[in-house]
Amino acid sequence: MSNIAIEKINENGAKTPSLFTEMKKMGDRIRDRAFELFQRRGRGDGFALEDWLKAEKDLIWTPESDLVEKEWKFEVKMAVPGFDAKDIHIAATSGALFVNADTTSHKHEKEDGNVHFCEFGKRELFRRFDLPEPIDVDKVTAKLDKGVLHLVAAKKEQAAETQVAA
């Protein structure tokens, strides 16, 4: 089981988190791919949403996952076969968990023999888990075990609401 570092993003942070920079780059790539599809179709109107969704599907893999709420925490499990812990980047805000990963491209060398087909290649995944309650970003953990990513996020402790009205 491998532990994975988590980028903790507090609301008062002035620096743009690295994952958000990557998300912007991915948005740009999706936009460019959608425009390619638009041009390939002959620039006809009425299919912008389909072009965008196809571009997303072409560029981003969305793995199977689940989000379970327990009394004091949220648990996420996500299937990430073929990814090493070093490939996975996680960011936590008080309201969401973000997972981004990509594999290096697969290559064959001359001495590998005569390759008839190969389905291995560069894969990129992205998932955003919006949480129904705020979490404590300092109490988020992530582990990778046998191709399954396990995230645990402790809920933010609620302040005592026993103030006496003046």
Side-chain angles (χ1 to χ4, degrees), residues 19 22 87-90 98-102 124-127:
L19 184 59
E22 290 304 312
D87 301 326
I88 300 171
H89 308 282
I90 299 169
F98 300 85
V99 180
N100 175 268
D102 65 47
E124 186 165 359
L125 73 83
F126 178 80
R127 287 299 303 256

Side-chain angles (χ1 to χ4, degrees), residues 38 47 69 86 90 103 125 131 136 145 155 158 163:
F38 166 73
F47 296 96
E69 181 177 0
K86 66 179 176 33
I90 299 169
T103 60
L125 73 83
L131 304 170
D136 183 341
D145 185 30
K155 292 181 181 179
Q158 300 299 321
Q163 294 180 350

